[in-house]
Amino acid sequence: MDNDAADQSLRRSDTSRRVVALRERLLRAGISMAYLAPDQVNDPTVFDDHVDAAVRTFQQNRGLMVDGVAGPETLRALGEAQYNLGDRPMFWQHGIDHTRGDDVSELQRQLSYLGFYYGHIDGEFGERTHLAVRELQQNLGLEPTGVADAPLIGAMARVNRSISPSHAFSLRDYERLNEASAALKGRVVCLTAGRGTSFQSSVTDKASGRPLTEKLVASDVMRRVESILSGLGAKVTVVAADDEKAVDNRVQLIRKVSPSLSISIKCDSLDQPLANGVSAFYWGKPETGEIRSPIGHRAAELVLKEVLARTTATDLGIHGRSWDILRLTSIPSIQLDIGYLSNPDEAGRLADPVFRQILADAIVIAIQRLYLLEEDDEPTGTLALDDVRRFNPER
C-alpha cells in the first residue's frame, strides 16, 4: 500500500512504486547488495529485507540514525549522493533553493585545498561557494561566471598542484573562536534541547513529581546552562525543538542567529535497559574518520571530558556524524547525549535537579575552556564556576 501523502517515509513491508525508485537511488549511491536491483526480484515495489539492509548500510556509511526507515533526512542524503563532480553544472542564484549533493561537497573540498573556499564543506552551493568559484575562474583565466561547469572542472583537473587534506575551511571559525578575549561576555551561543521523543520513564522527577521525559530533563539542563551563561554576559538564544520534523527550522534559526557555538542537549532511550552512558557528536565523516568541523570536534571533546570528570557516567566517546543539526548550521555545533532514560539507575540520577546542575556546570566550564588561550587552560575537571567568573569579571 502506498504511504499516506502526509508521510513520505518508506519502511519495511511498504509497497509502492517509490520503493522501485529507492532501490535505484541506493544503487547509484554505491550500495551494492544482492536482490536490491529492481530486475533481481519478482516484485521490486516491496520494501523487503534486502532494501531494509541497504538503507541501514547507507545510513551507517553516512553517519545517520540507523533505523532502516527512508525518512526525510535519509532521502535527502540519498538525493545528495546521486551526483559525482562533473555530472552536472552547478550554480547559485539569489532566492532560489541551493543545489546540494556529493558533487558540491567535492567541489568545496577542492576549492578549500586550493585556498579559495573558507566555509564549511556542507554540500550546499550557496553564495560563498559561488564567490569561490568566480575567484578560481579568474585565476584560471576563465570567464568568471560563478558556474561550476565542465570547463572549470576540466581546468581544475589540469591544475598542477597536489590537493591534500587541510583545515583551510575552518579558518573563519578559528578567527571567530579567538576574537576579542577569553571572556564569554558578548559571545553568541545557541542552545536546543531534545528531539521531542515520546519515551516516558517510570522514574519521576524529584523536583516536580512528574514522569521523567527527555523534554523535561534536557530542557532543564539547557535552561540551567542558559542562566549561567547569561549571568556571565553571553548572548544566549534558545531554539525550540519540540518536534523532530522541525529540524530544518532549527537549522535555519541557528543560521540566522550566527552564533559562535551551537549545543544540542538530548537523552536517549532503548529497549535494552542496561544501555547507559554519555556521548558527544560533531560534524564529521564516520566512514573515513575525517573531522569536518575541528572546533566542533574540540568542543565535543571538552564537554564530554568535563561531564565525565564530574560524574560516574560511562564514557561512550565522541563521534563524527552527518546529522543536519551538526552539518548544515555552518558553525561549530555539537550534540550531547546526557544519558538513557530507559536505564532505571541513570534515570534516577537524571531525575535529581542537583545532578542536572552538575551537568550544566560542566557544559559551561567546557565552553569557557574552548575560548581560553593555551597558557590559560587548566586540566580537565579542575576548573570551577568561580574560575569561569574570573575570566568574566563584571565591568
Side-chain angles (χ1 to χ4, degrees):
M1 177 180 299
D2 286 342
N3 281 335
D4 203 63
D7 181 9
Q8 296 300 310
S9 300
L10 290 168
R11 49 180 56 81
R12 188 196 295 265
S13 299
D14 280 353
T15 301
S16 166
R17 290 185 299 275
R18 293 175 57 228
V19 177
V20 181
L22 176 62
R23 290 173 179 270
E24 294 171 343
R25 296 176 82 184
L26 286 163
L27 289 167
R28 288 197 297 270
I31 304 300
S32 179
M33 190 169 292
Y35 304 109
L36 176 60
D39 60 0
Q40 292 180 339
V41 293
N42 292 329
D43 188 354
T45 66
V46 176
F47 194 119
D48 57 20
D49 291 345
H50 305 290
V51 179
D52 178 84
V55 169
R56 290 176 184 273
T57 299
F58 177 79
Q59 291 171 326
Q60 181 70 43
N61 291 345
R62 290 278 166 155
L64 303 172
M65 299 296 288
V66 181
D67 57 9
V69 177
E73 196 161 347
T74 296
L75 291 174
R76 183 184 302 122
L78 264 174
E80 295 176 9
Q82 302 303 298
Y83 299 99
N84 294 315
L85 185 61
D87 285 352
R88 58 177 175 169
M90 296 172 284
F91 61 92
W92 170 81
Q93 186 175 342
H94 183 70
I96 304 297
D97 286 345
H98 298 164
T99 300
R100 291 165 66 171
D102 285 6
D103 52 346
V104 181
S105 294
E106 180 59 26
L107 174 67
Q108 291 173 329
R109 184 159 43 246
Q110 293 195 25
L111 288 168
S112 171
Y113 299 157
L114 288 170
F116 292 96
Y117 179 75
Y118 299 99
H120 278 229
I121 300 174
D122 56 11
E124 185 172 271
F125 198 109
E127 184 176 13
R128 187 177 293 176
T129 306
H130 165 79
L131 294 175
V133 167
R134 279 177 56 93
E135 186 179 355
L136 176 58
Q137 286 171 325
Q138 289 174 331
N139 280 268
L140 292 173
L142 302 173
E143 183 182 357
T145 62
V147 177
D149 51 16
L152 174 69
I153 303 303
M156 289 178 67
R158 293 190 296 271
V159 172
N160 186 19
R161 181 171 180 172
S162 175
I163 299 177
S164 57
S166 80
H167 286 163
F169 58 86
S170 289
L171 289 179
R172 292 189 181 182
D173 282 349
Y174 280 111
E175 181 180 357
R176 183 180 295 177
L177 179 73
N178 295 322
E179 65 188 5
S181 67
L184 296 177
K185 184 175 182 179
R187 300 273 185 181
V188 181
V189 179
C190 250
L191 300 174
T192 185
R195 298 185 304 156
T197 55
S198 59
F199 181 85
Q200 183 172 296
S201 173
S202 59
V203 176
T204 57
D205 177 43
K206 293 183 179 179
S208 65
R210 292 182 294 166
L212 213 59
T213 64
E214 181 191 29
K215 183 176 181 180
L216 187 156
V217 174
S219 295
D220 184 61
V221 174
M222 179 186 69
R223 295 296 180 185
R224 291 170 186 272
V225 173
E226 178 193 16
S227 176
I228 301 171
L229 289 175
S230 297
L232 295 171
K235 299 176 181 178
V236 183
T237 297
V238 172
V239 176
D242 291 333
D243 191 338
E244 177 67 8
K245 295 179 181 178
V247 64
D248 286 342
N249 293 333
R250 278 183 278 158
V251 168
Q252 294 305 318
L253 287 170
I254 293 170
R255 278 182 160 185
K256 185 176 181 180
V257 174
S258 189
S260 57
L261 181 66
S262 172
I263 300 178
S264 176
I265 302 169
K266 65 175 291 291
C267 302
D268 263 321
S269 58
L270 287 176
D271 293 336
Q272 171 52 261
L274 295 180
N276 70 97
V278 296
S279 54
F281 304 87
Y282 61 92
W283 168 211
K285 300 275 284 184
E287 65 269 31
T288 63
E290 181 180 356
I291 298 172
R292 288 292 183 83
S293 176
I295 294 175
H297 175 269
R298 173 64 173 160
E301 182 179 52
L302 288 172
V303 170
L304 185 61
K305 284 184 175 180
E306 291 297 336
V307 169
L308 294 173
R310 290 165 168 78
T311 69
T312 58
T314 300
D315 180 5
L316 298 182
I318 62 172
H319 311 278
R321 289 293 184 267
S322 300
W323 301 330
D324 287 357
I325 198 69
L326 304 176
R327 179 171 69 101
L328 296 181
T329 52
S330 296
I331 51 95
S333 303
I334 70 169
Q335 176 175 297
L336 177 66
D337 288 11
I338 56 177
Y340 287 80
L341 295 181
S342 50
N343 182 301
D345 291 336
E346 200 147 81
R349 290 193 293 271
L350 291 169
D352 187 348
V354 174
F355 183 78
R356 298 199 292 262
Q357 186 63 52
I358 292 172
L359 292 175
D361 292 351
I363 293 170
V364 171
I365 290 168
I367 294 172
Q368 178 64 83
R369 288 189 63 196
L370 181 66
Y371 295 114
L372 290 180
L373 298 175
E374 185 175 352
E375 58 267 26
D376 293 326
D377 199 7
E378 298 287 346
T380 299
T382 60
L383 282 180
L385 281 184
D386 285 343
D387 297 306
V388 174
R389 295 186 180 93
R390 175 166 52 88
F391 292 107
N392 298 271
E394 295 183 6
R395 298 183 184 277

